[in-house]
Amino acid sequence: MRRVWRTSLAVNADVADALTLERLTKRFPTGGGVRAIDLRVQAGETVALLGPSGAGKSTLLRCVAGLLPLESGRVRVGGRDVTQAAPEARGIAIVVQELALAPHLSARESVAFGLEPRGIPRRERESRADVQLRAHGLGGIAHRRVDALSGGERQRVALLRALAVEPAVLLLDEPLAALDPATRRAWRDALQSVVRTSGVTTLLVTHDHADAFALADRVAVLCDGALVQVATPERLYVAPASDAVAAMIGDAVLLPATFDGTCVQLTLGGTTTALAPLVAPAARGACTAVLRPDALTLAVPSPGAPVGWPGVVIARRFAGATHRYRVAIAGGPELMVAHAGAPIADGSVVHVHACDGHVCVVCPPADDVLK
């Protein structure tokens, strides 16, 4: 007798949170894992788990999918407690880095693969697969074997296979990690389109903040197995909750500073500059200023010109509309500066200026942390 899995895949319309993690903890004897994770993902929302290697991102994803047993905590899908449920009974689909596509199957057969155990007749399985493939511009590869597809095509087939079962929650583990830069950019756009069009609630893992910012409505940052900030990409960029969060995003240089209630006071190369912060910290006193290339500019010193932080150009690289300069500040750190003016030669003496209102400040625990 063929086994039929009958699961409730739809999110209860009365439940705003499609996925809820409550104090989720999983530790390993050799170290690592995640601890006391609280996270709510709303229906139709995409949340990215961002963090360095070893932060616990993939462990968390596998715990949600039911592929790893929990030490403690709960997982709810659409308000239903699935902590003890088998992976196939959770209403969750996961796409892992390895994709796990059978090379001898066609693209159509691969997309339809997960429907057979659910008791869906063959013709309906094939029809659903064809609809998915055509809807996302892959109708022409329906009959091609997986081993004849490009890397990007295999990625999309794996994603459509997951969506074909109409999951309440979709999990993606480093969906862009194995692709070359050109394919990665194209697939990022395609992935965003597929997820948005489907409306499926999505939790994805990445170590690249650019991918997280491009794909997610909110970003959840993990450090050493703990959730340290959950915020929109914009909020995460302008008001990181810790030095560790700030260091993950862009070519950031973190410097000690002082906030006087109005301006951030920064001293570099013997020159003190007062700057209005992009987002003011909650309290006066010592703080950490975050200097990113797009908050800085530079100029060759000239009579009557404003005095900035003196430094020497160490290296530059072309970056399209700008050049990126690495500048050693006299008696201070190296800064990365985005500059749109005429190229400045290596070894040139320059003054670096911070743009008023563009300097970010680390803003420890705010209302967007751990929610």
Side-chain angles (χ1 to χ4, degrees), residues 270-284:
T271 300
T272 299
T273 304
L275 299 161
L278 196 53
V279 175
R284 302 186 182 198

Side-chain angles (χ1 to χ4, degrees), residues 89-260:
R90 295 187 172 211
I92 290 174
I94 183 170
V95 180
V96 296
Q97 291 185 52
E98 298 79 12
L99 301 183
L101 296 174
H104 65 283
L105 296 182
S106 68
R108 172 197 281 167
E109 291 168 332
S110 298
V111 173
F113 184 80
L115 298 174
E116 183 176 4
R118 288 164 169 79
I120 297 173
R122 181 175 62 83
R123 286 192 177 181
E124 185 179 344
R125 296 198 305 267
E126 292 178 350
S127 176
R128 283 200 198 182
D130 284 338
V131 167
Q132 288 277 7
L133 288 164
R134 286 197 301 269
H136 300 288
L138 296 176
I141 68 167
H143 297 288
R144 286 170 56 189
R145 285 169 49 117
V146 166
D147 56 8
L149 301 179
S150 69
E153 288 169 340
R154 286 195 293 270
Q155 290 272 3
R156 279 185 277 183
V157 167
L159 176 60
L160 296 183
R161 179 184 62 180
L163 291 175
V165 302
E166 299 177 348
V169 177
L170 174 67
L171 307 179
L172 303 175
D173 190 3
E174 294 278 10
L176 305 170
L179 303 176
D180 63 81
T183 304
R184 185 188 186 99
R185 288 189 295 270
W187 174 228
R188 185 162 62 191
D189 292 342
L191 177 60
Q192 183 181 48
S193 176
V194 171
V195 170
R196 298 285 191 227
T197 301
S198 70
V200 66
T201 303
T202 303
L203 184 65
L204 68 92
V205 161
T206 182
H207 64 274
D208 188 322
H209 78 275
D211 292 341
F213 283 13
L215 296 170
D217 300 301
R218 288 187 299 147
V219 180
V221 182
L222 276 84
C223 290
D224 297 325
L227 196 59
V228 294
Q229 186 172 10
V230 183
T232 63
E234 295 82 2
R235 176 73 182 180
L236 202 68
Y237 187 89
V238 303
S242 67
D243 290 4
V245 174
M248 286 184 206
I249 301 166
D251 295 318
V253 175
L254 278 56
L255 298 171
T258 302
F259 180 61
D260 63 10

Side-chain angles (χ1 to χ4, degrees), residues 67-86:
L67 302 178
L68 285 174
L70 295 182
E71 182 178 324
S72 61
R74 291 186 179 276
V75 178
R76 299 183 187 274
V77 174
R80 182 169 63 99
D81 189 339
V82 299
T83 309
Q84 301 302 323

